[in-house]
Amino acid sequence: VEQRDDDERPLATARVTRFDLEADVVVVGLGCAGACAAIEAAHAGADVLVLERAGGGGGTSANSGGQIYMGGGTALQRACGFEDSPEQMFRYLMASCGPGPDERLVQAFCEHSPAHFDWLVEQGVPFKASFFPDAHEPPQDDGLTYSGSEDVHPFCEIARPAPRGHCPQVVGSKGPLLMQRLLGGAQRAGARMQFGARVERLICESDGRVAGVVARGDGAARCVRARRGVVLCAGGFIFDDAMLELYAPQLRACRLRLGTEGDDGRGIRIALAAGAAALRMDAGDVTLPLVPPVALRKGVLVNRAGQRFINEDAYMGRLGEYALLRQGGQVFLIVDDAIFARPELFPVEIAAVGETFAELEAELGLPAPALHATLELYNRYAERGLDPLFHKRPAQLAPLVHPPFAALDLGVERYTYAVFTLGGLHIDARGAVLTPAGEPLPGLFAAGRTTSGIAKQGYSSGLSLGDASFFGRQAGRHAAV
Amino acid sequence: VEQRDDDERPLATARVTRFDLEADVVVVGLGCAGACAAIEAAHAGADVLVLERAGGGGGTSANSGGQIYMGGGTALQRACGFEDSPEQMFRYLMASCGPGPDERLVQAFCEHSPAHFDWLVEQGVPFKASFFPDAHEPPQDDGLTYSGSEDVHPFCEIARPAPRGHCPQVVGSKGPLLMQRLLGGAQRAGARMQFGARVERLICESDGRVAGVVARGDGAARCVRARRGVVLCAGGFIFDDAMLELYAPQLRACRLRLGTEGDDGRGIRIALAAGAAALRMDAGDVTLPLVPPVALRKGVLVNRAGQRFINEDAYMGRLGEYALLRQGGQVFLIVDDAIFARPELFPVEIAAVGETFAELEAELGLPAPALHATLELYNRYAERGLDPLFHKRPAQLAPLVHPPFAALDLGVERYTYAVFTLGGLHIDARGAVLTPAGEPLPGLFAAGRTTSGIAKQGYSSGLSLGDASFFGRQAGRHAAV
């Protein structure tokens, strides 16, 4: 790892000759987390200054699908006819976001989720009361969908399933609309914004309290005083090769890194250098984009030993996590002629074709009857609508009986896995950044992918914007005190 | 996570009214890393003070098996008739210690390993020129053994196998003898030692340079100045529940935590609070103690779907890693009457017994013919000395054909897995502690389980004492400059 060429250590206030700018609350980064922090800090009466390194607001959130994970009985869930409660949402997230989700974060997130939905509507984010049943990003403007593994094994036995992917009402990608409304909200709330201002380090009092930031823009470094608090909403580190190598080397195998160049981890590093703690820096959302078309869920995922390893109807982020982290990224989808299709999002190679399972197995170089036995067992029970080993839902179970059979190569080296980092600063439910001893680092708050949030590794779509919007609000509000 | 009740943040030198003690180099912790650091710092001409919280030296190293991972052609390897080179050792470690081992650490470790062995001999550590072939801790005083997965798939195809577990010459556990000699060496070298002195925080200059420590003993806190450097050799965090919950929750499932109460992570936390970086805090050595007796390697390890997932002759730390982290800690060992035995180290429950594979399968609650197919496939090839799926060595392959058959329950909830943490401070090959930006944190060095060393997750026995002794020496030497 190369040494970085500029200083990221906190600057002591004693060494600041002049503060060029001042505000009560300084928000670093104007994606979803930063916008929500700015709105709430301003509503709490603070003079807010947002520093954004890009030429305008939006960040990775504006480039995202725009889906937000909410539940517990939101107005939209009710309007679509779904029952949910904070307790059921809590159960699902505690079971699916591990290992070791932070109970306090999850608790706050669930308890206030219905009110959080209302708040987003107040900011002008529209949601259409229509449910999209296919459990991936709605291509049209439908408002609600299953965005995780709520209704599949094992989670459907742990918590009552409810769809919690809330999608802003627009055809296609929803991130731009979401951010347009949140940026408008931040402006209406009176937050000042400086663009092209890249925060390089924190400014700290001699007792460790964070008192501001050093921001570079137009070729000059400026000292910015934060009278009440700094809120770091500077994204993750999926675009920093050195950090990936150090902390999350397994994620490097994925072809499609989701983010912007701003996701270079600097927000995390400058906080660490000031004595903050970071958690689960190895974690990432790893998506294996199997669907659409949804028919492919009826295929059989096998590893390089020809064995199944998961219910194929699980959320694609769970499929990707298992495929990459537990199977070494070497997996195939076995299909028959009845369900054969190519994934719509990315090109796929066909690793083998055969008129019989034995032919397919031989073409994959597997010893007989490894794959054959796997598929015979699958078919034997699928005929009766059963999957006793991995519990795929009956609706997705159909024996593979229509030759030719094919093996789609979904290995990470040949297929497109999408990835972003989930590790980051340790925060409490107020968005306060904590030290290694678990104490708040005075004056410092954070939200979004700069933090380790709800999903410690296990992921469901919308949890990043969920973290960003919900804990962004908490961080802004508490920084303003 | 509860907030800790005492301050772990660095104390500013400006706030130190008086230094109660001074030395050129202050070593924190007197296990293997601390002893080696003290010896080398003293040999380099430094006045060395070691602070140890326990009543005497030894630490977890004195309670360990005492095996040290070395190679590249040590005198002991040659005396036992084994050929090795730093290049082959490097290949093995880069392949087995991932994900993402630190090439620079591994390079230095391998290149200087033969000389490091000679150095240990000079310190009075005896090694007998005899090879123990059974690849676990030698019960007698043999000096050399396979302590990892060097001679099994896939590593035997990546690097030329050589045994690298170097065992001090004594019957039984070798940790006490190793530490007796190293403590003697530290005393002879002239290092001063204070026991009952628990280091609570670092002392830092206003520019961040580490200038000493605050140590508590006899009820009083004392400020200790380190004129040249502080070396943290304070162990890992396997005995700190709060850190395990935050950083490595999966390790909590293991019953047997290897360490002493000193392994509470404080050495890591006080460095983090001073702006150091920590790596791979989720990582741990997870040992599934399958052998002795070695006959059990001829059994068939299956997961809860009745599938094999690894070559059963892999090193027990690799078996444990795969069982816990990839199979959810739910695994069984299938044996027949010919190889039936109980693991010698810990009691095991028998989950099922059957006269046929079908009976065994039914008693385990597995759908037919899941386990049956696995075992038929295994037998079919094992008869010919082959294992085309997982490549167990021919010597360990015997078809299971002697009923009754049994399934030993090696699940983490019922069997004893041994565990300690591998995550810790980011160091370079000199033992210098690095910041999140990859720069040395001036005045701070570390070694042993306080650091993330050679094994980022994949482990071989002896790597912790290898880290401790080798990088302890580097840290001591460079701190003395």
Side-chain angles (χ1 to χ4, degrees):
Chain A
V1 175
E2 296 308 318
Q3 198 168 302
R4 295 174 192 275
D5 60 351
D6 56 345
D7 203 342
E8 301 185 343
R9 290 175 300 171
L11 180 67
T13 45
R15 295 185 54 206
V16 176
T17 50
R18 186 173 66 96
F19 279 104
D20 304 282
L21 287 164
E22 287 206 16
D24 292 331
V25 173
V26 173
V27 176
V28 179
L30 191 54
C32 179
C36 293
I39 293 169
E40 289 288 63
H43 284 173
D47 168 38
V48 178
L49 174 63
V50 185
L51 302 171
E52 165 58 47
R53 58 196 279 178
T60 294
S61 305
N63 293 296
S64 77
Q67 199 168 78
I68 307 167
Y69 199 93
M70 294 183 283
T74 65
L76 185 67
Q77 287 179 310
R78 294 197 310 272
C80 291
F82 291 97
E83 197 185 334
D84 196 9
S85 72
E87 293 71 28
Q88 295 299 327
M89 183 182 177
F90 177 84
R91 277 196 198 186
Y92 171 73
L93 291 175
M94 289 303 291
S96 66
C97 293
D102 184 327
E103 197 170 309
R104 297 183 195 187
L105 295 190
V106 176
Q107 174 65 38
F109 186 70
C110 296
E111 183 182 341
H112 303 290
S113 197
H116 183 55
F117 172 80
D118 297 340
W119 183 88
L120 284 167
V121 171
E122 282 168 27
Q123 303 312 310
V125 184
F127 295 92
K128 181 176 168 188
S130 64
F131 173 67
F132 177 71
D134 281 353
H136 57 80
E137 197 175 304
Q140 298 302 315
D141 63 353
D142 301 300
L144 191 64
T145 185
Y146 278 99
S147 67
S149 301
E150 296 86 354
D151 58 341
V152 305
H153 180 82
F155 306 104
C156 57
E157 285 121 50
I158 293 169
R160 189 180 57 224
R164 302 193 183 100
H166 288 62
C167 306
Q169 185 180 355
V170 62
V171 174
S173 194
K174 295 107 179 57
L177 173 64
L178 172 70
M179 286 313 301
Q180 182 206 25
R181 301 301 160 91
L182 291 177
L183 294 176
Q187 271 168 335
R188 282 194 303 278
R192 292 180 285 148
M193 299 172 188
Q194 285 221 350
F195 299 103
R198 177 168 169 273
V199 169
E200 297 194 320
R201 58 204 294 201
L202 297 174
I203 297 173
C204 292
E205 306 280 4
S206 60
D207 65 359
R209 184 187 166 82
V210 175
V213 303
V214 178
R216 183 171 294 275
D218 299 328
R222 291 185 177 78
C223 291
V224 184
R225 184 200 295 275
R227 287 182 292 256
R228 299 189 195 166
V230 170
V231 187
L232 293 173
C233 304
F237 61 96
I238 194 62
F239 277 97
D240 191 83
D241 285 330
M243 285 182 79
L244 281 183
E245 185 182 335
L246 283 176
Y247 297 108
Q250 293 186 101
L251 305 185
R252 290 179 303 177
C254 303
R255 196 176 282 178
L256 178 61
R257 298 182 182 183
L258 300 178
T260 62
E261 63 178 6
D263 290 298
D264 67 355
R266 189 160 187 131
I268 297 171
R269 294 197 307 273
I270 63 176
L272 291 180
L279 301 183
R280 313 294 176 87
M281 291 290 281
D282 59 306
D285 171 39
V286 178
T287 291
L288 171 52
L290 183 63
V291 300
V294 293
L296 287 178
R297 289 209 185 90
K298 293 185 176 165
V300 175
L301 268 177
V302 299
N303 62 19
R304 67 193 175 116
Q307 304 164 327
R308 290 178 74 209
F309 57 93
I310 197 167
N311 44 325
E312 294 83 358
D313 57 354
Y315 165 61
M316 292 186 285
R318 188 168 163 88
L319 297 182
E321 178 192 338
Y322 273 60
L324 180 67
L325 303 180
R326 300 192 179 202
Q327 303 299 338
Q330 297 186 54
V331 299
F332 302 93
L333 186 76
I334 310 299
V335 295
D336 70 359
D337 202 48
I339 62 168
F340 177 81
R342 289 173 187 271
E344 288 174 16
L345 295 174
F346 302 104
V348 70
E349 291 174 27
I350 295 174
V353 177
E355 287 299 317
T356 63
F357 292 161
E359 273 183 38
L360 196 66
E361 177 176 80
E363 201 166 322
L364 285 173
L366 285 167
L371 180 62
H372 191 105
T374 295
L375 296 174
E376 286 289 336
L377 183 74
Y378 179 80
N379 277 357
R380 173 177 177 164
Y381 289 93
E383 277 166 14
R384 293 182 273 150
L386 298 173
D387 176 16
L389 281 180
F390 295 97
H391 309 285
K392 184 154 67 164
R393 285 168 300 189
Q396 308 296 343
L397 285 167
L400 302 181
V401 292
H402 302 283
F405 305 103
L408 309 185
D409 190 343
L410 299 182
V412 70
E413 289 178 7
R414 281 164 301 279
Y415 190 60
T416 300
Y417 287 45
V419 68
F420 56 86
T421 59
L422 292 171
L425 300 178
H426 185 195
I427 57 168
D428 67 15
R430 302 172 309 133
V433 174
L434 304 181
T435 69
E439 297 162 356
L441 207 164
L444 193 62
F445 298 80
R449 280 293 62 84
T450 303
T451 70
S452 171
I454 296 294
K456 292 305 182 201
Q457 169 51 53
Y459 195 73
S460 298
S461 269
L463 278 175
S464 277
L465 290 175
D467 272 343
S469 58
F470 183 78
F471 292 106
R473 291 179 60 203
Q474 314 311 317
R477 197 150 55 88
H478 288 96
V481 172
Chain B
V1 178
E2 297 308 318
Q3 199 170 300
R4 296 175 192 274
D5 60 351
D6 56 345
D7 203 342
E8 301 185 343
R9 290 175 300 171
L11 180 67
T13 45
R15 294 185 55 206
V16 176
T17 50
R18 186 173 65 98
F19 280 103
D20 304 283
L21 288 164
E22 288 205 17
D24 293 329
V25 173
V26 173
V27 176
V28 179
L30 191 54
C32 179
C36 292
I39 293 169
E40 289 288 63
H43 284 173
D47 169 37
V48 178
L49 174 63
V50 185
L51 302 172
E52 164 59 48
R53 59 196 280 179
T60 294
S61 306
N63 294 295
S64 77
Q67 198 168 79
I68 308 167
Y69 200 94
M70 294 182 283
T74 64
L76 185 67
Q77 287 180 309
R78 293 196 310 272
C80 292
F82 290 97
E83 197 184 335
D84 196 9
S85 71
E87 293 70 29
Q88 296 298 327
M89 184 182 177
F90 178 83
R91 279 197 196 185
Y92 171 72
L93 291 174
M94 289 303 291
S96 66
C97 293
D102 184 325
E103 197 170 309
R104 296 182 196 188
L105 295 190
V106 177
Q107 174 65 39
F109 186 70
C110 296
E111 184 183 340
H112 302 291
S113 197
H116 183 57
F117 172 80
D118 297 339
W119 183 88
L120 284 167
V121 171
E122 282 167 26
Q123 303 312 309
V125 184
F127 296 93
K128 181 177 169 186
S130 65
F131 174 67
F132 177 71
D134 281 353
H136 57 81
E137 199 175 303
Q140 298 302 316
D141 64 352
D142 301 301
L144 191 64
T145 185
Y146 277 100
S147 67
S149 300
E150 296 85 355
D151 57 342
V152 305
H153 180 83
F155 306 104
C156 58
E157 285 121 50
I158 294 169
R160 189 180 56 224
R164 302 194 183 100
H166 288 61
C167 306
Q169 184 178 356
V170 63
V171 174
S173 195
K174 294 111 181 54
L177 173 64
L178 172 71
M179 286 312 301
Q180 182 207 24
R181 301 302 160 92
L182 291 176
L183 294 176
Q187 271 168 336
R188 282 193 304 278
R192 291 179 285 148
M193 299 172 188
Q194 286 221 348
F195 299 103
R198 177 168 169 272
V199 169
E200 297 194 321
R201 58 203 295 202
L202 297 174
I203 297 173
C204 292
E205 307 280 3
S206 60
D207 64 0
R209 185 188 166 82
V210 175
V213 302
V214 178
R216 183 172 293 275
D218 299 327
R222 290 185 177 79
C223 292
V224 184
R225 184 201 295 276
R227 286 183 291 257
R228 299 188 195 167
V230 170
V231 187
L232 293 172
C233 304
F237 61 97
I238 194 62
F239 277 97
D240 191 81
D241 286 330
M243 284 183 78
L244 281 183
E245 184 183 336
L246 284 175
Y247 297 107
Q250 294 186 100
L251 305 185
R252 290 179 302 177
C254 302
R255 194 176 283 177
L256 178 61
R257 298 183 182 182
L258 299 179
T260 62
E261 63 178 6
D263 291 297
D264 67 356
R266 189 160 188 132
I268 297 171
R269 294 197 309 272
I270 63 175
L272 292 179
L279 302 182
R280 313 297 176 83
M281 291 290 281
D282 58 306
D285 171 39
V286 178
T287 292
L288 172 51
L290 183 62
V291 299
V294 293
L296 286 178
R297 289 209 184 92
K298 292 186 176 165
V300 175
L301 268 177
V302 298
N303 62 18
R304 67 195 175 116
Q307 304 164 327
R308 289 178 74 208
F309 57 92
I310 196 166
N311 43 326
E312 293 83 359
D313 57 354
Y315 165 61
M316 294 185 284
R318 188 167 164 88
L319 298 182
E321 178 192 339
Y322 272 59
L324 180 68
L325 303 180
R326 302 193 177 201
Q327 303 299 337
Q330 297 186 53
V331 298
F332 302 93
L333 185 76
I334 311 299
V335 295
D336 70 359
D337 202 48
I339 61 168
F340 177 81
R342 290 174 186 269
E344 289 174 15
L345 295 174
F346 301 104
V348 70
E349 292 174 28
I350 295 174
V353 176
E355 287 299 316
T356 64
F357 292 160
E359 273 183 38
L360 195 67
E361 178 176 80
E363 200 167 321
L364 285 173
L366 284 167
L371 180 62
H372 191 105
T374 295
L375 296 174
E376 286 290 338
L377 183 74
Y378 179 81
N379 277 357
R380 174 177 176 164
Y381 290 93
E383 278 165 13
R384 294 183 272 149
L386 298 173
D387 176 16
L389 281 181
F390 294 97
H391 309 284
K392 183 154 67 164
R393 284 167 300 189
Q396 307 297 342
L397 284 168
L400 302 181
V401 292
H402 302 283
F405 306 103
L408 309 186
D409 190 342
L410 299 182
V412 71
E413 290 178 7
R414 280 165 300 281
Y415 191 60
T416 300
Y417 287 45
V419 69
F420 56 86
T421 59
L422 291 171
L425 300 177
H426 184 195
I427 57 167
D428 67 15
R430 302 173 310 133
V433 174
L434 304 180
T435 69
E439 297 162 356
L441 207 165
L444 192 62
F445 298 80
R449 280 293 63 84
T450 302
T451 70
S452 170
I454 296 293
K456 292 307 182 199
Q457 170 51 54
Y459 195 74
S460 298
S461 269
L463 279 175
S464 277
L465 290 175
D467 273 343
S469 57
F470 183 78
F471 292 107
R473 291 179 60 201
Q474 314 310 316
R477 197 150 55 88
H478 287 96
V481 172

